Amino acid sequence: MSDAQSATSLPYQDAVPGAVLAVEKGLLDDSLIVAPDKLVPLATYLRDHEGYDMLSNLTAVDYLKFKGRTKADRFEVVYHLYSTRRGGRPKVLKVRLPEDNPVAPSLISVYPGANLQEREAWDLYGIRFTGHPNLRRILLWEGFNGHPMRKDWLEPYYEADVKPFKSRHPDGYHAWAEDRNPWGDNVRYPDGFDPETWQSPVQTVPLPRHGGNGVPGAIKTERLVVNMGPQHPSTHGVFRMVVELDGETVTALEPEMGYLHRNHEKIGERNTYLMNMPYTDRLDYLSSMSNNLAYAIAVEKLLGDEYKPPERAEYLRVIMAELTRIVNHLFSVGTFLNDLGAFFTPLLYTVRERELILDLFEAASGSRMMCNYMRFGGVARDVPDGWLDQCRQLVYERLPAKIDELDRYLTGNEIVQQRCVGVGYLSPEDAIALSCTGPQLRGSGVPYDIRKAEPYSIYDRFDFSVVAFDGCDVYSRYLVRIEEMRESIKILKQALKQIPEGPIQGGKGGYTVRPPVGDVYSRIEAPKGELGFYLVSDGTGNPYRYRVRPPSFINLTALAPMCIGNKVADSVIILGAIDIVLGEVDR
């Protein structure tokens, strides 16, 4: 099948006539080129009749500098749809839009999980989505000039399109950008924008007041808008919740992010492929090894079988990824109890065990948090002598006992149950519709885990269970994390028993790789949910499009629905149970 395929033979012509304009052959998956005005009915058909119930990834690409593309199809919006019941590969939809008026219909009516992702595409690419109820900037502020992911947008100290910059390599000279540009010239505002008079709009949802309502003797109440964050310990970083309260009850909530945004993806398109590996450490900075793994697998899929990792490297990758899952969940449980008011004691217990795992990471990679350990075709280096024995002692003896200890002290605790059971309700249907993944989804009773649904690396060799609890509340999300640590222990015991001797690096290695022209979307079950990388290669040593699908960011789509109707104190633990890291939210 190709773009030249006749219209009558294209798929879905009977179901939604004229929806599919062409079928594009991909390196992993074929893509359906969809007419913009037919996108909503086609997506509805795929959801209702073919079971593609989750919109996992929505992003855009600017093909301004790509061979074969014109002004008429400069922009492309890409959708990856999955079935949570069947698992397997995605259905990929692409909508091509012209340079002068890039407009696509919003998919929120079909997949509410498109909400934040469409706002991101508008913010960074300037693509408008008709029908979106709140299409405004999300990572940048309203005074930002332009849409920075466009290929013709240049920052004030722009030097070159891609790295390595010639001023550093091979010529080896450099002048400070600040010396070349007078102070103050690095700020540009949109036409007609005055920062002196601008005020941030307050986003509220008009809801009826709970008090008064004409009832004699009832207390009349006024709704109050409160900012929680961005500098507040309960928001887990520089994150703001604009909360509308009626008394202590949350009547509306709007997540505000972007305070940590540094355009990770723009940096990624300037870097060579290998340069991006240490940048992935800085996404979910509690889960560095998992970030490395997700990116390495994505690039390996671009490169093909030549970069298939050897056996020992695959086992080391799984060991590092499952240790990372335990690291993440320990920290998540500790901070969650902190949010509940158990001031620091549970957190210190969990951090103590986390530090022992970080000792292993440091011995293997040279760093405790920013590990930069994975490489295309394997890992950077083998573990030192005695490392595996130290890991076995931790996995077989200490960690299982400490997880049991946490379970014993916390799970049946009366205060924990009183505060958590029934709070932050999210039904299975809503969790899927809102594109939630990871413990957020499995805490709503949906047993969907990418390690089982679409196995990667060597996960199909291990015996483990997908943990799900159907309480649909913050308590169930806590239980998922406790049990997932036990399942990670189970995987680690098998991997440590089976790991062979041998090389730890496949492929050609080297500083630069040049994948063939094409695009791939690859994902893993990271500790917080689906971490995906969408890469477009133009055949050079730098990714043409580098997209991160961050679970922390997309799981926040469910924050407002879970909080409305709960108390203001509950909103803190609802956010804590999502388990966000702002490096991954903002990128």
Side-chain angles (χ1 to χ4, degrees):
M1 295 186 290
S2 67
D3 289 348
Q5 190 171 352
S6 65
T8 55
S9 63
L10 290 169
Y12 303 110
Q13 292 306 307
D14 293 336
V16 188
V20 179
L21 303 178
V23 178
E24 182 181 75
K25 194 72 175 175
L27 296 177
L28 290 181
D29 306 291
D30 293 341
S31 303
L32 305 181
I33 310 302
V34 181
D37 61 330
K38 302 290 186 179
L39 175 64
V40 173
L42 178 60
T44 303
Y45 177 84
L46 292 172
R47 181 196 65 185
D48 296 344
H49 297 278
E50 295 199 0
Y52 290 99
D53 52 358
M54 177 181 285
L55 169 62
S56 172
N57 180 53
L58 186 164
T59 191
V61 185
D62 179 3
Y63 281 101
L64 176 66
K65 300 180 179 182
F66 206 89
K67 185 178 179 180
R69 300 298 281 264
T70 66
K71 290 183 177 182
D73 59 357
R74 171 179 169 179
F75 295 102
E76 192 168 85
V77 185
V78 185
Y79 307 83
H80 291 91
L81 311 179
Y82 285 92
S83 170
T84 61
R85 292 186 290 274
R86 293 194 311 269
R89 295 298 300 164
K91 182 73 71 176
V92 185
L93 310 181
K94 295 181 178 179
V95 174
R96 292 175 176 171
L97 303 172
E99 177 179 286
D100 56 350
N101 189 30
V103 179
S106 173
L107 272 190
I108 287 182
S109 61
V110 186
Y111 298 107
N115 185 354
L116 301 185
Q117 297 184 77
E118 286 181 350
R119 285 179 60 189
E120 182 184 16
W122 154 248
D123 194 358
L124 300 184
Y125 282 93
I127 295 171
R128 290 185 288 119
F129 294 89
T130 56
H132 193 291
N134 187 23
L135 193 63
R136 60 188 183 90
R137 290 193 183 273
I138 188 168
L139 297 175
L140 305 168
W141 73 303
E142 298 301 326
F144 190 89
N145 186 46
H147 303 282
M149 286 301 295
R150 290 188 174 191
K151 292 295 184 180
D152 54 0
W153 186 92
L154 304 178
E155 68 274 18
Y157 296 148
Y158 168 80
E159 186 166 344
D161 275 350
V162 295
K163 295 178 181 178
F165 296 150
K166 286 186 169 43
S167 63
R168 279 74 149 184
H169 178 83
D171 297 340
Y173 67 88
H174 176 65
W176 291 106
E178 291 84 349
D179 295 336
R180 302 196 310 269
N181 296 270
W183 184 83
D185 287 359
N186 63 332
V187 179
R188 292 195 298 265
Y189 297 111
D191 293 339
F193 182 88
D194 183 359
E196 299 297 329
T197 60
W198 179 80
Q199 290 186 341
S200 176
V202 176
Q203 300 295 322
T204 61
V205 179
L207 293 173
R209 290 188 177 93
H210 288 257
N213 298 322
V215 179
I219 299 175
K220 293 184 179 180
T221 61
E222 294 292 332
R223 284 180 292 175
L224 178 68
V225 175
V226 176
N227 282 304
M228 296 179 63
Q231 290 86 19
H232 195 281
S234 71
T235 58
H236 292 239
V238 281
F239 175 74
R240 178 166 68 120
M241 294 189 289
V242 183
V243 186
E244 186 184 72
L245 300 175
D246 189 345
E248 288 288 316
T249 301
V250 177
T251 56
L253 186 145
E254 183 76 20
E256 289 289 336
M257 58 205 73
Y259 299 96
L260 199 62
H261 179 65
R262 63 224 187 269
N263 213 336
H264 176 104
E265 294 179 7
K266 187 80 168 183
I267 295 170
E269 292 176 9
R270 295 268 174 85
N271 287 340
T272 65
Y273 284 92
L274 185 58
M275 280 181 183
N276 281 331
M277 187 62 76
Y279 281 83
T280 66
D281 292 331
R282 277 84 177 162
L283 290 166
D284 176 359
Y285 38 75
L286 299 178
S287 303
S288 164
M289 289 287 194
S290 290
N291 303 342
N292 287 183
L293 177 60
Y295 178 59
I297 291 175
V299 176
E300 287 162 4
K301 287 180 177 178
L302 270 180
L303 292 168
D305 291 339
E306 185 180 5
Y307 276 80
K308 180 176 173 59
E311 284 287 292
R312 184 172 177 83
E314 289 281 27
Y315 277 92
L316 286 173
R317 285 178 166 195
V318 168
I319 290 169
M320 299 303 181
E322 293 309 312
L323 287 173
T324 298
R325 197 177 314 278
I326 296 172
V327 161
N328 181 92
H329 288 353
L330 284 171
F331 204 79
S332 175
V333 168
T335 53
F336 177 66
L337 266 293
N338 216 43
D339 291 336
L340 277 170
F343 194 60
F344 277 130
T345 300
L347 177 58
L348 290 175
Y349 272 69
T350 59
V351 166
R352 181 179 60 185
E353 306 313 313
R354 173 179 177 264
E355 288 298 307
L356 296 175
I357 299 176
L358 296 191
D359 288 344
L360 291 173
F361 288 170
E362 184 178 21
S365 72
S367 177
R368 301 180 73 78
M369 287 185 67
M370 309 303 169
C371 297
N372 187 22
Y373 183 64
M374 308 294 176
R375 292 293 182 269
F376 313 137
V379 296
R381 60 191 65 84
D382 207 339
V383 293
D385 292 342
W387 191 96
L388 291 173
D389 290 334
Q390 185 181 350
C391 186
R392 289 186 184 101
Q393 189 277 331
L394 198 61
V395 166
Y396 278 87
E397 299 175 23
R398 184 177 179 103
L399 284 176
K402 293 302 179 179
I403 294 168
D404 290 345
E405 183 179 70
L406 281 175
D407 192 2
R408 185 166 63 252
Y409 287 154
L410 301 177
T411 303
N413 183 283
E414 181 181 357
I415 299 174
V416 171
Q417 293 188 352
Q418 194 74 24
R419 287 292 311 280
C420 296
V421 174
V423 174
Y425 182 81
L426 185 67
S427 70
E429 297 77 16
D430 287 344
I432 295 169
L434 291 167
S435 302
C436 296
T437 54
Q440 177 89 348
L441 178 63
R442 294 188 288 277
S444 289
V446 181
Y448 186 74
D449 186 311
I450 298 168
R451 294 173 295 175
K452 292 283 191 181
E454 188 188 347
Y456 53 92
S457 186
I458 54 172
Y459 274 101
D460 54 352
R461 301 182 187 180
F462 302 116
D463 175 30
F464 67 99
S465 300
V466 176
V467 178
F469 288 90
D470 59 4
C472 304
D473 52 17
V474 298
Y475 189 66
S476 285
R477 290 158 215 152
Y478 155 79
L479 292 175
V480 167
R481 293 183 174 98
I482 292 290
E483 291 303 320
E484 280 192 355
M485 286 191 283
R486 291 184 169 126
E487 293 301 316
S488 290
I489 293 290
K490 189 186 300 183
I491 294 172
L492 284 165
K493 287 179 177 179
Q494 296 171 70
L496 288 166
K497 182 178 180 181
Q498 298 171 16
I499 184 170
E501 296 293 333
I504 46 89
Q505 179 68 54
K508 297 179 179 178
Y511 182 72
T512 301
V513 295
R514 298 180 183 275
V517 175
D519 65 332
V520 299
Y521 179 67
S522 178
R523 60 189 189 141
I524 71 165
E525 186 64 45
K528 292 175 172 62
E530 179 178 329
L531 173 61
F533 284 85
Y534 177 64
L535 302 175
V536 178
S537 170
D538 59 358
T540 68
N542 305 78
Y544 186 86
R545 177 70 174 104
Y546 168 85
R547 151 71 172 172
V548 183
R549 189 270 186 211
S552 291
F553 174 72
I554 296 174
N555 284 346
L556 281 171
T557 312
L559 178 61
M562 290 192 297
C563 285
I564 292 174
N566 285 282
K567 301 301 182 183
V568 62
D570 295 331
S571 65
V572 174
I573 64 172
I574 292 170
L575 174 65
I578 294 177
D579 186 22
I580 63 170
V581 159
L582 266 298
E584 186 175 79
V585 173
D586 287 355
R587 284 152 289 140

